[in-house]
């Protein structure tokens, strides 16, 4: 074994050096056990159908890299928001501002480059902000599809990095009714969460409603104690009414989401170095400064089965209201109100001679208003329109080709604003357009081996924050200045991958190279300060991002599941000096190792019992954007997590499911490279800069299904 390639030996040595000796030894043992002559079934990649590209398509026929998060994974893992659980996937990270706010990062790209699809339409909040999260009730999510790489072909601008697709619970079978009661508690931040759901299907008349409530006080870690104002409160209400008939379906979905997160400032006492707070760490009430985020949504989702194909029509209205309270709990400073009308019409033609065709038109109209006494971005109107066509063809029963084209046009008009005698914003208009496309294929060499390849052209228009910002952003501790001369981002990305499965093992490798013209990012303006905070300005350059993900899944013996994944991203700005060579907010390389054992208990009381141990090793990140100390290196760290669960049954009926989870078992004090809290004040006593992530956290979940 130790005469194997250096890469494998280095993997074992790295594990030993990071206190992962048991897992590393198990890796060696597992590989050797593969030779055992047991009659276990072969391990194959899961037979999964995905919907994110051209409709329902088998994953073995999709050339683009896709990750799937199934319902069981969501149940058995601990998270404080829905993006936490997504960040467990290879190539996926998150920018965090405490535990209530997280933003997804796909292969080093985030913000308006990652599109979120929920209830069949693109989620539109204020996703341009660092401390603006995703307004989705995690308990309303049944499964998640993650499309990696430019998905502009179907979704248009803002899908340059990829798409997160959140799926609802499937519709019940006819004459069925069901209720679910869920509750959760976490020890570190006192998080208490409960959710009640009721759904049914009566002769094709379907309905589903849910109410969720979540609250948490300040979290704590070994270095900072309780982190002031990391508390949050989240409430959500949703309902669905619809008809399922032979001609198709029509469903009306209504939802309301309300999040009240604290804004962590990280200010410290100059004498003691302790974080300053006006209330106790276990207090659940609001503390200045904080945000109020309300998101209202109405979606009419229709699908009609015609003789010549399937017609899908979706229309939606969204209102996002985001307020920041700094000096008073009754009067807000920043107050954004965003109205969005979405439309999506697509036609799926019947398969003809092996050809599958999907064509459509989609877009949105937006109106954003400033209703507060402070200002950051101007009010604006936006109209977006895109049309696309995709085709796929299977040849020789082994080669599956997919491709398509799309054209987008976006018009943006920004309004002027006088702040006293000063003109804060100057009116301007911009029109952007882009032609995008993709072509790729997957070749099924055998039942065990698939080879994927794909080339795609991405496009993203700059948002209003990048073009027209002019104000202090309380949540980011900086004064932001826009750049009206910014051009759209265009990218060329090439993907290649291998999926290989054989007896008791499967292996996946995905590699990519991405060239982005006019890559937009924010840059610190030296020591310049405006209104007593550092000044930042948006700028652009050409970028190159390369990397990939590898995953190996081993079943050495029956009931034992051993999974390892590794992801690496290298992001550079082309033709730049050393200090500005690397792009900011590039995730560190990461190795995630999971050992899962299904306990076979011959009991009438317990079912689906398991125990799982996880090692999360984040390598050091020295590739940082060093201009004016905009970004600092981050040392490596290792986290160990554990979970266990079972179903309690009676007469073969599941009474309830119970799970216990421990994150950061050894209470490691660490800072994730993408945490913005790294850049808060320095502790004058210890010399440590910034605020650290959450320490040890023990969680309990209980899920009670009620079949009526």
């Amino acid at each position: 074994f130790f005469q194997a390639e250096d890469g494998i030996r280095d993997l074992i040595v790295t594990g030993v050096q990071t206190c992962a000796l048991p897992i590393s030894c198990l890796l060696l043992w597992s590989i050797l056990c593969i030779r055992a002559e047991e009659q276990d079934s072969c391990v194959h990649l899961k037979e999964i159908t995905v919907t994110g590209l051209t409709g329902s398509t088998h994953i073995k026929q999709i050339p683009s890299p896709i990750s799937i998060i199934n319902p069981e994974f969501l149940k058995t893992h601990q998270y404080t928001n829905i993006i936490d659980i997504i960040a467990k996937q290879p190539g996926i990270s998150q920018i965090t501002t405490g535990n209530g706010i997280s933003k997804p990062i796909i292969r080093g790209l985030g913000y308006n480059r990652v599109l979120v699809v929920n209830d069949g339409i693109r989620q539109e909040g204020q996703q341009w902000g660092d401390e603006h999260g995703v307004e989705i009730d995690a308990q309303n999510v049944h499964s998640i599809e993650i499309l990696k790489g430019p998905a502009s072909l179907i979704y248009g601008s803002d899908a340059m990095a990829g798409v997160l697709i959140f799926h609802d619970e499937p519709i019940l079978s006819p004459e069925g009714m069901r209720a679910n009661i869920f509750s959760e508690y976490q020890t570190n931040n006192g998080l208490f969460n409960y959710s009640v759901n009721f759904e049914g299907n009566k002769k094709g008349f379907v309905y589903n409603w849910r109410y969720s409530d979540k609250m948490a006080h300040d979290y704590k870690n070994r270095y900072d104690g309780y982190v002031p104002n990391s508390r949050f409160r989240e409430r959500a209400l949703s309902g669905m009414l619809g008809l399922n008939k032979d001609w198709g379906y029509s469903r009306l979905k209504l939802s309301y989401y309300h999040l009240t997160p604290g804004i962590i400032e990280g200010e410290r006492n100059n004498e003691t170095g302790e974080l300053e707070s006006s209330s106790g760490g276990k207090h659940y009430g609001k503390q200045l400064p904080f945000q109020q985020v309300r998101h209202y949504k109405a979606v009419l989702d229709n699908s009609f089965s015609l003789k010549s194909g399937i017609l899908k029509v979706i229309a939606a209205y969204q209102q996002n209201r985001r307020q920041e309270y700094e000096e008073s709990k009754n009067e807000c400073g920043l107050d954004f109100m965003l109205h969005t009308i979405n439309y999506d019409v697509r036609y799926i033609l019947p398969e003809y001679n092996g050809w599958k065709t999907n064509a459509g038109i989609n877009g949105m109209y937006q109106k954003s208003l400033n209703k507060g006494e402070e200002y950051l971005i101007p009010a604006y109107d936006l109209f977006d329109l895109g049309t696309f066509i995709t085709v796929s063809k299977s040849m020789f029963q082994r080669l599956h080709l997919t491709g398509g084209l799309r054209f987008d046009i976006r018009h943006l008009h920004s309004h002027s604003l006088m702040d006293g005698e000063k003109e804060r914003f100057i009116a301007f208009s911009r029109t952007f357009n882009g032609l995008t496309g993709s072509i790729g294929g997957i070749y099924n060499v055998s039942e065990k081996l698939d080879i994927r390849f794909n080339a795609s052209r991405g496009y993203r228009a700059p948002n209003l924050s990048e073009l027209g910002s002019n104000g202090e952003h309380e949540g980011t501790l900086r004064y932001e200045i826009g750049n009206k001369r910014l051009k759209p981002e265009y990218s060329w990305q090439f993907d290649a991958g291998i999926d290989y499965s054989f007896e008791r093992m499967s292996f996946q490798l995905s590699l990519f190279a991405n060239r982005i013209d006019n890559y937009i990012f924010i840059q610190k303006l030296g020591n310049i300060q405006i209104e007593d905070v550092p000044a930042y300005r948006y700028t652009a350059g050409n970028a190159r991002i390369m990397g990939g993900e590898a995953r190996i899944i081993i079943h050495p013996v029956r009931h034992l599941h051993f999974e390892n994944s590794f992801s690496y991203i290298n992001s550079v700005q082309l033709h730049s000096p050393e200090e500005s060579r690397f792009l900011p907010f590039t995730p560190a390389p990461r190795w995630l190792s999971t050992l899962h054992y299904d306990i076979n208990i011959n009991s009438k009381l317990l079912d689906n019992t398991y125990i799982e141990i996880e090692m999360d090793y984040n390598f050091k990140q020295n590739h940082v954007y060093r201009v004016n100390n905009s970004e600092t290196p981050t040392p490596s760290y290792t986290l160990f997590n554990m979970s266990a669960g079972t179903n309690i049954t009676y007469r073969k009926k599941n009474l309830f499911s119970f799970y216990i989870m421990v994150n950061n078992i050894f209470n490691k004090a660490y800072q994730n490279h993408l945490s913005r809290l790294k850049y808060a004040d320095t502790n004058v006593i210890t010399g440590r800069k910034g605020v650290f992530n959450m320490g040890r956290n023990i969680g309990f979940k209980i899920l009670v299904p009620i079949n009526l």
Side-chain angles (χ1 to χ4, degrees):
F1 174 78
F2 284 100
Q3 292 179 351
E5 296 183 359
D6 292 341
I8 299 178
R9 291 203 305 272
D10 291 343
L11 184 65
I12 298 297
V13 172
T14 302
V16 174
Q17 292 175 342
T18 58
C19 302
L21 179 58
I23 293 183
S24 301
C25 292
L26 183 59
L27 173 61
L28 170 60
W29 171 72
S30 299
I31 294 175
L32 297 178
C33 281
I34 295 172
R35 299 180 180 272
E37 296 181 356
E38 300 178 4
Q39 298 301 317
D40 290 349
S41 60
C42 295
V43 177
H44 295 286
L45 296 175
K46 293 183 177 180
E47 304 292 319
I48 299 174
T49 298
V50 296
T51 61
L53 292 172
T54 58
S56 297
T57 307
H58 199 285
I59 197 170
K60 289 177 69 66
Q61 299 177 358
I62 298 295
S64 303
I66 296 178
S67 292
I68 307 295
I69 301 178
N70 60 39
E72 198 63 27
F73 192 88
L74 294 173
K75 293 177 185 177
T76 58
H77 288 77
Q78 182 175 244
Y79 47 94
T80 58
N81 62 73
I82 191 61
I83 304 302
D84 282 349
I85 196 67
I86 294 172
K88 293 278 187 181
Q89 299 298 306
I92 311 299
S93 309
Q94 60 178 331
I95 291 179
T96 61
T97 310
N99 293 302
I101 301 173
S102 296
K103 299 180 70 67
I105 302 292
I106 298 179
R107 289 177 164 179
L109 297 175
Y111 297 88
N112 282 86
R113 302 178 184 91
V114 175
L115 191 66
V116 174
V117 175
N118 188 35
D119 295 323
I121 58 146
R122 55 189 292 160
Q123 184 87 1
E124 284 296 319
Q126 309 280 350
Q127 55 263 43
W128 47 267
D130 280 30
E131 81 292 6
H132 300 171
V134 177
E135 302 89 353
I136 292 176
D137 176 16
Q139 301 309 316
N140 229 6
V141 177
H142 177 73
S143 63
I144 306 170
E145 290 180 25
I146 306 172
L147 280 58
K148 302 175 186 177
S152 304
L153 184 60
I154 299 296
Y155 299 102
S157 179
D158 305 342
M160 176 176 285
V163 181
L164 304 179
I165 305 176
F166 295 93
H167 292 290
D168 297 336
E169 188 86 16
I171 299 297
L172 281 180
S173 58
E175 309 308 316
M177 286 192 299
R178 180 174 61 195
N180 288 286
I181 301 173
F182 169 84
S183 186
E184 176 184 17
Y185 178 74
Q186 297 179 14
T187 59
N188 186 288
N189 59 351
L191 183 146
F192 177 67
N193 181 16
Y194 71 90
S195 183
V196 180
N197 162 249
F198 180 71
E199 57 184 322
N201 185 341
K202 183 68 173 179
K203 296 182 180 179
F205 174 71
V206 296
Y207 53 91
N208 190 348
W209 72 268
R210 178 182 294 276
Y211 176 75
S212 301
D213 200 337
K214 182 192 300 183
M215 64 185 75
H217 60 61
D218 297 340
Y219 78 84
K220 61 182 178 180
N221 61 61
R222 197 171 65 186
Y223 288 162
D224 301 314
Y226 285 101
V227 176
N229 224 9
S230 55
R231 64 198 64 177
F232 65 91
R233 177 76 182 272
E234 176 185 296
R235 284 164 287 185
L237 176 66
S238 62
M240 183 273 291
L241 293 174
L243 284 175
N244 279 15
K245 296 296 182 180
D246 294 339
W247 49 262
Y249 65 79
S250 181
R251 300 166 190 163
L252 175 64
K253 302 177 183 179
L254 303 174
S255 63
Y256 166 70
Y257 177 92
H258 183 194
L259 175 66
T260 307
I263 297 177
I264 303 172
E265 296 183 300
E267 296 179 346
R268 295 183 180 271
N269 186 292
N270 291 329
E271 296 181 358
T272 65
E274 295 181 351
L275 291 167
E276 294 185 342
S277 175
S278 61
S279 64
K282 293 187 176 182
H283 184 59
Y284 285 90
K286 293 180 290 188
Q287 174 183 327
L288 292 170
F290 64 88
Q291 296 184 66
Q292 292 276 15
V293 183
R294 295 177 175 87
H295 195 89
Y296 306 85
K297 183 164 55 176
V299 180
L300 184 59
D301 185 0
N302 305 278
S303 179
F304 305 100
S305 297
L306 308 176
K307 292 183 179 180
S308 57
I310 297 176
L311 176 65
K312 295 193 174 187
V313 181
I314 301 178
Y317 168 75
Q318 301 178 72
Q319 181 191 112
N320 185 277
R321 183 83 178 266
R322 184 177 297 272
Q323 301 166 305
E324 292 187 4
Y325 294 80
E326 303 163 21
E327 306 296 334
S328 169
K329 293 184 178 181
N330 299 318
E331 296 183 6
C332 62
L334 292 174
D335 188 350
F336 305 111
M337 178 177 282
L338 178 66
H339 302 273
T340 304
I341 297 175
N342 303 87
Y343 59 93
D344 189 321
V345 180
R346 62 184 65 186
Y347 190 70
I348 302 173
L349 277 71
E351 183 174 343
Y352 176 74
N353 198 24
W355 288 92
K356 297 180 181 179
T357 306
N358 181 13
I361 182 171
N362 53 29
M364 61 182 176
Y365 168 75
Q366 285 188 334
K367 186 176 186 63
S368 179
L369 304 173
N370 277 321
K371 303 181 74 68
E373 298 179 353
E374 298 180 6
Y375 311 102
L376 176 58
I377 65 171
Y380 67 89
D381 293 281
L382 179 150
F383 179 75
D384 183 87
L385 172 68
T387 182
F388 66 91
I389 182 171
T390 67
V391 294
S392 61
K393 169 74 172 177
S394 296
M395 305 174 65
F396 317 116
Q397 297 183 344
R398 291 181 178 270
L399 179 61
H400 310 281
L401 300 176
T402 300
L405 291 172
R406 179 185 179 98
F407 179 76
D408 280 280
I409 185 168
R410 172 173 291 186
H411 179 73
L412 186 66
H413 177 70
S414 169
H415 301 285
S416 62
L417 176 70
M418 296 297 296
D419 186 6
E421 297 181 355
K422 176 183 177 182
E423 188 173 26
R424 173 63 68 95
F425 300 116
I426 301 174
F428 67 91
S429 296
R430 295 287 304 274
T431 299
F432 308 99
N433 58 71
L435 178 66
T436 56
S438 71
I439 185 169
I442 179 169
Y443 185 67
N444 307 136
V445 180
S446 67
E447 291 184 358
K448 299 179 180 180
L449 177 62
D450 298 327
I451 299 176
R452 305 171 187 264
F453 56 92
N454 193 71
S456 52
R457 173 73 162 169
Y459 151 79
R460 183 183 78 90
N463 60 51
L464 242 294
S465 175
E466 297 162 338
L467 292 168
S469 289
N470 185 18
E472 179 185 353
H473 201 172
E474 177 77 18
T476 61
L477 306 177
R478 64 194 184 201
Y479 194 100
E480 300 179 1
I481 303 173
N483 184 348
K484 298 180 180 61
R485 294 174 293 180
L486 293 174
K487 299 178 181 179
E489 295 179 344
Y490 290 96
S491 71
W492 277 107
Q493 178 161 317
F494 299 91
D495 289 273
I498 297 176
D499 300 339
Y500 187 55
S501 61
F502 56 96
E503 191 174 8
R504 289 181 292 279
M505 178 182 285
S506 63
F507 173 75
Q508 294 175 293
L509 176 65
S510 297
L511 303 175
F512 74 94
N514 192 1
R515 164 65 187 259
I516 304 177
D517 295 328
N518 309 317
Y519 178 84
I520 301 170
F521 61 98
I522 196 165
Q523 176 180 332
K524 189 177 182 180
L525 298 179
N527 296 321
I528 298 176
Q529 289 198 342
I530 302 177
E531 298 181 5
D532 298 326
V533 293
Y536 287 74
R537 182 181 176 86
Y538 284 97
T539 185
N542 295 331
R544 187 265 297 153
I545 305 176
M546 300 178 67
E549 306 90 39
R551 171 182 284 182
I552 182 170
I553 303 173
I554 306 171
H555 291 263
V557 294
R558 192 184 300 273
H559 306 305
L560 185 63
H561 175 96
F562 186 43
E563 179 174 341
N564 286 269
S565 64
F566 177 78
S567 55
Y568 174 80
I569 297 169
N570 181 264
S571 304
V572 299
Q573 186 177 190
L574 301 176
H575 314 300
S576 298
E578 185 64 26
E579 64 176 3
S580 60
R581 178 186 176 193
F582 298 106
L583 297 181
F585 291 111
T586 298
R590 187 184 189 191
W591 173 26
L592 193 65
S593 183
T594 303
L595 182 65
H596 181 104
Y597 184 67
D598 293 312
I599 304 173
N600 187 19
I601 300 177
N602 187 14
S603 170
K604 296 181 180 180
L605 180 63
L606 303 179
D607 188 30
N608 291 332
T609 306
Y610 79 95
I611 185 170
E612 182 176 290
I613 301 174
E614 178 184 83
M615 184 200 71
D616 186 354
Y617 179 62
N618 290 258
F619 292 75
K620 63 181 179 181
Q621 180 59 289
N622 290 327
H623 293 175
V624 297
Y625 188 75
R626 300 179 184 273
V627 176
N628 300 318
N629 293 318
S630 296
E631 196 176 26
T632 59
T634 304
S636 63
Y637 61 88
T638 305
L639 303 178
F640 288 92
N641 309 314
M642 184 176 179
S643 67
T646 190
N647 294 338
I648 307 299
T649 61
Y650 178 70
R651 293 183 178 179
K652 297 183 180 181
K653 291 185 178 180
N654 182 20
L655 298 181
F656 64 91
S657 302
F658 178 75
Y659 308 96
I660 180 171
M661 296 146 286
V662 186
N663 283 357
N664 195 359
I665 295 174
F666 301 110
N667 201 27
K668 175 73 174 180
Y670 71 100
Q671 289 177 322
N672 185 279
H673 184 67
L674 301 188
S675 171
R676 293 194 309 102
L677 302 181
K678 277 184 57 184
Y679 305 99
D681 289 352
T682 301
N683 188 323
V684 295
I685 302 299
T686 64
R688 301 187 185 101
K689 181 176 178 59
V691 175
F692 285 73
N693 289 73
M694 182 185 284
R696 182 188 300 112
N697 189 21
I698 304 174
F700 306 89
K701 287 184 180 181
I702 185 169
L703 176 62
V704 183
I706 304 173
N707 292 312
L708 304 174

